[in-house]
């Protein structure tokens, strides 16, 4: 069975090169039939499809399973947010607009910046080049953070998990605020006659261009759509999150891009009537709190884990060496063992002790005396 499977794999080894062409064809057909994907859930599906295509094309066995293992939970969290986000529009609290307008008038010296910018720059029905540029910047919100996460997943998995933790914390912090503080964006405040007439520039540009857009899998036309999720602006928060995350290790050229992206997004949001200035500033503040606050907690946790691992390693080494002799004792023991093994056998025999004389009987003693007396008499004669 294993030999047959190996043969099948060998004969079909070149089919992996069809992964990217097949993915490209399916994406082209989807865009042609449904329009550009721009909602989180749809973008995430196509992103995971791209990662699977890359894993299959690389030829790494089981690579696509690793993609599903790491990214399905992330996609689940994004789906949950997409579904729950709409509840901010159905809370019992009143929708806020007056505080944002009052603060923006302070920043704008008596005028809301959205009204001022559209009066200066926007021509209804005739988009300018910068309107298209703003539309491009605005649409990058729906895929930029995911593309960066995918790149880190392939190259720096430790950085991927850290940025993912920041992204999820920031996203759900925004969701909690939408529940507690529903807020009108400028275009909706204008529709309710709280501001002069305003135009949603991005929507108008897309309508003028005739470019179709794909709706959300879950949110489109459902009760989960939320027009009052404006405070804080996650459109502004995500670019600031990327800037703060990469800034310490970025070079000069990359830092220019990291600084320009949040500013370009902020201008787009205010000019396009999507957010007030205070919404943008609160988004930046949320991103900073997540990066520095949650980052410090993650660093402390990592330091404690490393310290615990170091203690366990030292304990293991100590227990391994506790049964072995050390120092002078070890040296002496080794010498004794060596001498015992290498000493030659002795070739001399110890002398045998003479046997002790046994005591004489009384009769034998008398006979001995008589003999000695006779010998003495003979000697004197």
């Amino acid at each position: 069975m294993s030999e047959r499977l190996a043969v099948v794999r060998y004969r079909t080894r070149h089919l992996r090169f069809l992964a990217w062409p097949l993915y490209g064809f399916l994406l082209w057909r989807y865009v042609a039939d449904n329009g550009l994907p721009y909602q989180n859930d749809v973008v995430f599906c196509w992103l995971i499809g791209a990662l699977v295509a890359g894993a299959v094309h690389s030829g790494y066995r089981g690579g696509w399973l690793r993609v599903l293992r790491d990214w399905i939970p992330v996609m689940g969290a994004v789906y949950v947010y997409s579904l729950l986000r709409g509840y901010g529009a159905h809370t019992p609290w009143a929708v806020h607009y007056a505080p944002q307008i009052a603060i923006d008038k302070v920043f704008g010296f008596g005028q809301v910046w959205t009204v001022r910018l559209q009066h200066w720059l926007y021509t209804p029905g005739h988009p300018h080049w910068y309107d298209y540029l703003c539309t491009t910047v605005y649409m990058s919100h729906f895929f930029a953070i995911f593309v960066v996460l995918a790149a880190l997943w392939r190259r720096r998995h430790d950085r991927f998990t850290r940025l993912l933790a920041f992204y999820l914390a920031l996203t759900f912090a925004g969701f909690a605020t939408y529940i507690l503080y529903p807020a009108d964006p400028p275009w909706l405040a204008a529709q309710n006659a709280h501001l002069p007439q305003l135009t949603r520039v991005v929507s108008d540009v897309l309508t003028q261009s005739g470019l179709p857009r794909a709706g959300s899998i879950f949110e489109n036309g459902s009760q989960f759509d939320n027009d009052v999720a404006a405070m804080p602006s996650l459109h502004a928060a995500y670019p600031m999150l990327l800037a703060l995350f990469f800034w310490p290790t970025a070079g000069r050229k990359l830092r220019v891009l990291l600084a320009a992206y949040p500013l370009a997004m902020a201008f787009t949001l205010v000019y396009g009537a999507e957010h007030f200035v205070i919404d943008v500033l609160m988004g930046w503040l949320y991103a900073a709190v997540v990066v520095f606050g949650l980052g410090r907690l993650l660093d402390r946790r990592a330091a404690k884990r490393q310290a615990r691992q170091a203690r366990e390693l030292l304990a293991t080494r100590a227990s391994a060496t506790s049964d072995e002799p050390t120092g002078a004792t070890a040296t002496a023991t080794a010498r004794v063992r060596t001498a015992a093994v290498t000493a030659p056998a002795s070739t001399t025999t110890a002398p045998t002790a003479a046997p002790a004389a046994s005591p004489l009987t009384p009769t034998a003693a008398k006979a001995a005396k008589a003999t000695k007396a006779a010998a003495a008499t003979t000697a004197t004669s």
Side-chain angles (χ1 to χ4, degrees):
M1 183 65 180
S2 60
E3 293 181 357
R4 292 181 179 179
L5 184 60
V7 171
V8 171
R9 286 177 176 173
Y10 177 78
R11 291 179 177 178
T12 60
R13 66 188 186 279
H14 297 299
L15 292 179
R16 62 188 177 90
F17 296 111
L18 297 177
W20 279 118
L22 179 61
Y23 175 82
F25 173 76
L26 293 176
L27 180 60
W28 171 72
R29 287 303 311 166
Y30 178 85
V31 173
D33 294 339
N34 301 282
L36 289 176
Y38 72 100
Q39 293 289 353
N40 286 345
D41 45 13
V42 181
V43 172
F44 223 100
C45 287
W46 285 106
L47 176 65
I48 293 179
L51 292 173
V52 170
V56 173
H57 181 269
S58 67
Y60 178 70
R61 189 176 301 176
W64 63 276
L65 291 175
R66 182 168 171 260
V67 172
L68 298 180
R69 180 199 67 189
D70 291 348
W71 284 90
I72 289 297
V74 182
M75 184 172 64
V78 173
Y79 280 169
V80 169
Y81 167 75
S82 296
L83 292 176
L84 295 180
R85 175 176 174 269
Y87 284 114
H90 307 286
T91 60
W93 297 282
V95 178
H96 302 276
Y97 63 89
Q100 299 93 286
I101 293 177
I103 296 174
D104 266 37
K105 286 184 176 180
V106 173
F107 291 140
F109 305 101
Q111 180 62 278
V112 175
W113 270 109
T114 301
V115 176
R116 179 172 290 166
L117 289 176
Q118 290 203 5
H119 176 73
W120 287 348
L121 302 174
Y122 186 66
T123 304
H126 299 281
H128 302 282
W129 64 268
Y130 48 81
D131 295 323
Y132 289 101
L133 182 60
C134 288
T135 301
T136 303
V137 172
Y138 181 86
M139 298 300 291
S140 69
H141 160 81
F142 299 104
F143 60 85
I145 188 74
F146 298 137
V147 171
V148 173
L149 282 170
L152 290 178
W153 178 81
R154 290 185 61 87
R155 298 179 178 273
R156 290 287 305 274
H157 198 270
D158 58 329
R159 301 275 283 170
F160 160 76
T161 56
R162 188 178 181 88
L163 181 59
L164 178 61
F166 290 165
Y167 165 76
L168 293 178
L170 181 58
T171 299
F172 283 95
F175 163 71
T177 309
Y178 299 153
I179 294 279
L180 300 174
Y181 191 87
D184 279 342
W187 65 268
L188 191 55
Q191 284 187 4
N192 294 328
H194 303 304
L195 287 174
Q197 183 177 359
L198 295 172
T199 303
R200 300 186 72 178
V201 174
V202 173
S203 179
D204 189 54
V205 169
L206 292 175
T207 301
Q208 294 291 330
S209 64
L211 198 63
R213 292 173 289 169
S216 169
I217 294 176
F218 294 103
E219 294 181 15
N220 195 37
S222 74
Q223 62 176 336
F224 297 103
D225 193 18
N226 187 358
D227 289 332
V228 294
M231 171 75 78
S233 170
L234 291 182
H235 280 76
Y238 292 155
M240 182 58 68
L241 171 63
L242 294 177
L244 296 176
F245 182 80
F246 288 105
W247 191 271
T249 58
R252 181 177 300 178
K253 293 182 179 179
L254 181 57
R255 284 187 173 184
V256 172
L257 179 61
L258 292 175
Y261 186 35
L263 295 176
M265 182 64 78
F267 176 83
T268 297
L269 297 174
V270 175
Y271 167 62
E274 299 295 336
H275 285 281
F276 291 100
V277 173
I278 187 59
D279 301 339
V280 173
L281 296 179
M282 290 301 297
W284 289 356
L285 178 62
Y286 274 49
V289 170
V290 167
V291 171
F292 296 113
L294 180 58
R296 177 176 247 179
L297 293 178
L298 293 178
D299 291 339
R300 287 182 178 178
R301 182 179 178 183
K304 290 181 179 179
R305 183 172 58 251
Q306 292 177 357
R308 184 176 65 253
Q309 292 174 351
R311 289 193 300 267
E312 292 174 354
L313 180 60
L314 290 176
T316 303
R317 290 180 177 178
S319 62
T321 58
S322 60
D323 297 332
E324 297 294 331
T326 59
T329 305
T331 305
T333 304
R335 289 178 178 175
V336 171
R337 289 177 179 174
T338 304
V341 173
T342 60
S346 176
T347 57
T348 60
T349 305
T352 305
S358 59
L360 296 177
T361 63
T363 303
K366 292 181 179 179
K369 290 181 178 180
T371 302
K372 289 182 178 179
T377 303
T378 302
T380 56
S381 64

